[in-house]
Amino acid sequence: MKSEHAFALIALILGVVGGVLLCKGAIDVVSKLLEGSSHINFESPVLVGIGVIAIIASAMLWTGRYLTGGVINMVLGIIAVFYGKDAEGLMVLISGVLGIVAPKIKD
């Protein structure tokens, strides 16, 4: 396995795990909707959307679109950290940085 692919694989794993952890808030949103609660935090659907897009961007990193996927994950990671999801946001942010650095690594 080339170093470029190893970095892309690590970026994929970090991005998917961070995205899934951000999406786990969807369970709270669905349960509130089923209870009939009309008050839903603005942050919950936003974080679920960020998680889904982070997973898609991580898949883009694995398929070879390093710059696009890396920039998307970096921006989403910064937004997630801003909303208070520090661990998940940092995982997605590091995934983006690794995605941008991956094609520049030579064996």
Side-chain angles (χ1 to χ4, degrees):
M1 178 180 275
K2 293 169 59 173
S3 298
E4 175 181 345
H5 296 297
F7 271 83
L9 180 62
I10 294 170
L12 171 72
I13 292 170
L14 283 173
V16 168
V17 170
V20 168
L21 289 175
L22 285 170
C23 287
K24 74 176 180 152
I27 297 171
D28 296 333
V29 172
V30 170
S31 67
K32 286 183 181 180
L33 287 175
L34 291 177
E35 289 174 359
S37 175
S38 61
H39 185 272
I40 297 175
N41 292 342
F42 173 75
E43 295 177 4
S44 298
V46 170
L47 290 174
V48 170
I50 289 173
V52 170
I53 297 171
I55 292 170
I56 293 169
S58 298
M60 290 172 62
L61 289 172
W62 181 246
T63 58
R65 293 177 286 208
Y66 299 113
L67 185 62
T68 307
V71 169
I72 291 172
N73 271 354
M74 285 177 57
V75 169
L76 293 176
I78 291 170
I79 293 171
V81 168
F82 177 74
Y83 276 114
K85 299 292 185 178
D86 295 332
E88 297 91 341
L90 286 176
M91 290 172 80
V92 174
L93 180 66
I94 292 170
S95 168
V97 170
L98 288 176
I100 290 177
V101 170
K104 294 173 180 38
I105 302 296
K106 302 296 178 196
D107 285 333

